[in-house]
Amino acid sequence: GPANLVREHLAHHPALRTLQWTSPAFDVSVQEIFTTLAAGAALVLIDDEVRHDPAAVTAAVRDHGVQRVFMPCTPLKYLMETDPVTPSLREVFSAGEALELTPAFRRFLAAHPECALFNQYGPTETSVIVASHRVRVGEGARPPIGTPVRGARIQLLDPDGRLVPVGAVGEIHVGGTPVAYGYHARPEETAGRFLTDPSGGLLYRTG
């Protein structure tokens, strides 16, 4: 699972100096830390005082030549509303909640054409990230979550476990390499979320 995440990231993204913004208690820290170290790049460490201050984050990015940042939409939105000038940034990743492309995001992307914004999706139970999408300035306010990463399968199923037609509402189920085996010592919860995949392995019901 996590090893697949790192391999997939290294296949599509360069080695970049990365701000270690995410708390180790949050699953994205696995992506943030290990994709950076596996590429031979540097992690720039900050404390909580800096982490929760958009101006201090901007200063850290500039002072240390940070090239990549991972943040959920809400703190990233607060950062963008300060109209940060960060010429070293090359990639910004948002995951953990739905990304809303506000005017501040559009201003930032227009002012930093060399920086790419990625909207990503994935529950902890599927090794952090299973879909990724590069956001364009002219997109709608709610960018898509993108296409599955290598090794992952994403299906939209109805309550009876059948694929829904295009345009219909369904529940996201994830299969393939990223899916965990279940919850430790919680068999009932595991049975309710981790289903047998007809094509082999397990399907995770995201809810």
Side-chain angles (χ1 to χ4, degrees):
N4 184 73
L5 169 69
V6 173
R7 284 195 300 267
E8 174 70 5
H9 183 96
L10 297 182
H12 297 283
H13 301 277
L16 297 175
R17 179 182 290 263
T18 300
L19 189 69
Q20 209 279 293
W21 185 89
T22 309
S23 164
F26 186 39
D27 60 0
V28 170
S29 66
V30 173
Q31 180 188 22
E32 185 179 63
I33 294 168
F34 291 103
T35 60
T36 302
L37 298 182
L43 277 171
V44 176
L45 306 182
I46 56 175
D47 59 24
D48 285 342
E49 185 175 351
V50 172
R51 183 174 287 110
H52 300 301
D53 181 346
V57 169
T58 297
V61 169
R62 285 202 304 261
D63 293 347
H64 297 285
V66 169
Q67 299 169 296
R68 185 172 66 180
V69 170
F70 293 84
M71 281 190 192
C73 181
T74 297
L76 189 56
K77 181 169 63 175
Y78 293 146
L79 178 64
M80 293 300 164
E81 287 172 353
T82 68
D83 290 318
V85 178
T86 52
S88 62
L89 268 184
R90 294 296 176 268
E91 292 184 339
V92 175
F93 291 82
S94 182
E97 58 181 317
L99 176 63
E100 180 183 2
L101 201 58
T102 64
F105 275 98
R106 298 183 195 278
R107 289 196 304 271
F108 176 83
L109 292 174
H112 298 77
E114 71 287 346
C115 183
L117 172 63
F118 293 90
N119 185 33
Q120 297 192 318
Y121 167 81
T124 302
E125 292 88 345
T126 61
S127 306
V128 189
I129 296 298
V130 293
S132 183
H133 170 73
R134 180 171 179 174
V135 178
R136 308 295 177 178
V137 178
E139 288 192 30
R142 295 286 187 177
I145 62 172
T147 55
V149 301
R150 181 175 53 186
R153 296 190 309 279
I154 297 178
Q155 299 176 329
L156 292 181
L157 305 180
D158 66 17
D160 296 319
R162 296 173 298 196
L163 287 170
V164 300
V166 175
V169 175
E171 182 180 3
I172 296 176
H173 289 65
V174 180
T177 305
V179 180
Y181 294 121
Y183 300 114
H184 178 64
R186 292 155 62 186
E188 291 184 3
E189 292 180 44
T190 295
R193 288 290 187 181
F194 293 85
L195 314 177
T196 300
D197 186 347
S199 60
L202 295 172
L203 275 178
Y204 175 69
R205 290 182 56 230
T206 62

